[in-house]
Amino acid sequence: MKELIKKNYVTLVTSGYVCSLLTFVAMLQEQSLTNWGKIGITGIGAIVVLMAVTFKNIVSGDKFNWNNVLAAFICFIFFSLSIAKGFLFFLSF
């Protein structure tokens, strides 16, 4: 896991930034969602990020690197869990 993070640090940071930016824009547009809907809307950012990472791997011309796709997916999972934790804390108060 340490090697995956060391080799794909830029992918992790960029994926997290793009996913959070797209999710933020989608949440601003869809204000009438339930809390579960707001957690589910993170899928929009995940789909775009996974498509972009896959496209980058195809266009780069080198051997397809599944570790970049895995790093982007791991970043999406952490991002979704942080959104879910925020909404669950909001519900508890």
Side-chain angles (χ1 to χ4, degrees):
M1 186 71 164
K2 278 186 176 182
E3 290 298 318
L4 178 73
I5 292 172
K6 283 182 183 178
K7 290 182 181 179
N8 299 308
Y9 179 74
V10 174
T11 303
L12 283 167
V13 171
T14 307
S15 299
Y17 179 73
V18 172
C19 186
S20 64
L21 184 67
L22 290 172
T23 301
F24 180 70
V25 169
M27 281 186 184
L28 287 177
Q29 289 179 351
E30 301 293 331
Q31 295 176 359
S32 62
L33 290 173
T34 64
N35 287 335
W36 289 107
K38 289 178 183 175
I39 295 169
I41 208 165
T42 59
I44 292 171
I47 291 169
V48 171
V49 166
L50 290 175
M51 285 175 29
V53 168
T54 304
F55 181 72
K56 182 196 75 89
N57 279 329
I58 291 171
V59 170
S60 69
D62 296 335
K63 182 179 152 188
F64 192 86
N65 190 358
W66 282 104
N67 287 335
N68 282 340
V69 178
L70 180 65
F73 187 72
I74 288 171
C75 185
F76 160 70
I77 294 296
F78 282 127
F79 179 69
S80 295
L81 289 175
S82 67
I83 294 265
K85 187 172 87 171
F87 284 122
L88 291 176
F89 281 151
F90 178 73
L91 290 176
S92 65
F93 291 110

